[in-house]
Amino acid sequence: MDFTFVWQTAFLILSGILLLRIAGRKSISQMTLAQTVVMISLGTIIVQPIVQKSMWKAIAGAAIFVAAIVILEYLQLKFNLFEKFITGKSKIIIQNGQLNIKNLKKLRLTVDQLEMRLRNKGITKLEDVKFATIEPNGQLGYELEDDAKPLTVGEFKKILNDYLPAMVMKMDEKPESAKPDIFDELNKSNAQQNPKYLQ
């Protein structure tokens, strides 16, 4: 049995990975129609030399592709360098509210496309972004400046625990002068001396 197609398959898998890395890091949902057609065509082109017209070669080729995925994922778990090569690293595109134009050019991402992604995340100002990255899967990761972060339930509970008891105590503790005293008027009248003409 001729096993040269096994080596051909392995070579084509590596070639496909390199081609996809060059094509860019966008998920299917983020691709344009043209990009989707190109990716599907690329898969067909890669498989075509292996499959030819043999059913067994088609099954074997598909099995090798599946096995390759499992092996690649295992190697990525074991070796950081391999993960960096296959998956890539996150790229910083915003730092302290400033665009990293160099990385945007590397990713072939326009400012308008970046702003669209920011708006989808509910971010309206670049200045509110402390860090923003394009992740290896093409998704936008970000961290907001402290003043722009929304209030979390945990922070709200902490505020209530810190300030609400003190406010309640202040409301309960009225000053002595504000407390009503029914003998106040009598005490004041006794304290005053009678006029001389009444003595």
Side-chain angles (χ1 to χ4, degrees):
M1 186 177 177
D2 185 15
F3 287 99
T4 55
F5 75 96
V6 175
W7 305 111
Q8 289 174 352
T9 303
F11 177 75
L12 287 169
I13 289 169
L14 290 173
S15 301
I17 289 169
L18 290 172
L19 288 169
L20 289 172
R21 284 292 302 276
I22 293 167
R25 50 177 79 187
K26 290 184 179 178
S27 63
I28 293 294
S29 62
Q30 295 168 334
M31 287 182 185
T32 63
L33 184 60
Q35 289 170 331
T36 306
V37 170
V38 168
M39 292 302 174
I40 293 168
S41 301
L42 181 61
T44 306
I45 291 165
I46 288 171
V47 173
Q48 193 62 38
I50 304 164
V51 173
Q52 296 173 357
K53 292 183 179 180
S54 170
M55 182 183 69
W56 292 110
K57 281 191 176 182
I59 294 169
I64 291 169
F65 270 86
V66 171
I69 291 170
V70 174
I71 292 166
L72 289 173
E73 288 176 349
Y74 176 77
L75 290 172
Q76 286 181 70
L77 287 172
K78 287 292 182 182
F79 306 105
N80 288 334
L81 188 64
F82 195 80
E83 182 184 13
K84 182 181 173 182
F85 172 71
I86 297 295
T87 308
K89 291 195 310 181
S90 300
K91 300 282 187 188
I92 296 174
I93 52 171
I94 300 174
Q95 190 167 4
N96 297 322
Q98 299 296 317
L99 290 173
N100 188 324
I101 302 297
K102 186 179 175 183
N103 282 344
L104 282 173
K105 285 180 179 177
K106 281 183 183 177
L107 295 165
R108 298 191 304 279
L109 188 67
T110 67
V111 175
D112 288 339
Q113 289 171 338
L114 175 60
E115 288 175 349
M116 178 183 67
R117 291 192 186 195
L118 292 172
R119 285 194 297 271
N120 286 335
K121 298 288 184 181
I123 301 167
T124 55
K125 293 188 212 170
L126 282 175
E127 295 78 20
D128 291 343
V129 182
K130 189 174 183 180
F131 284 103
T133 57
I134 296 295
E135 302 300 328
N137 63 357
Q139 298 295 322
L140 177 73
Y142 66 93
E143 181 186 355
L144 295 174
E145 295 283 359
D146 291 340
D147 291 343
K149 288 179 182 176
L151 183 68
T152 64
V153 174
E155 290 168 338
F156 183 64
K157 285 180 180 178
K158 188 176 183 303
I159 290 169
L160 288 178
N161 290 335
D162 289 348
Y163 296 104
L164 192 60
M167 290 172 65
V168 171
M169 285 178 66
K170 282 184 180 179
M171 289 173 67
D172 289 343
E173 290 178 3
K174 293 181 180 177
E176 289 295 326
S177 58
K179 289 183 179 178
D181 189 349
I182 57 173
F183 295 101
D184 209 17
E185 189 179 342
L186 292 173
N187 291 334
K188 283 181 182 176
S189 63
N190 289 336
Q192 292 176 349
Q193 292 183 355
N194 293 328
K196 288 184 180 181
Y197 65 87
L198 290 177
Q199 292 179 359

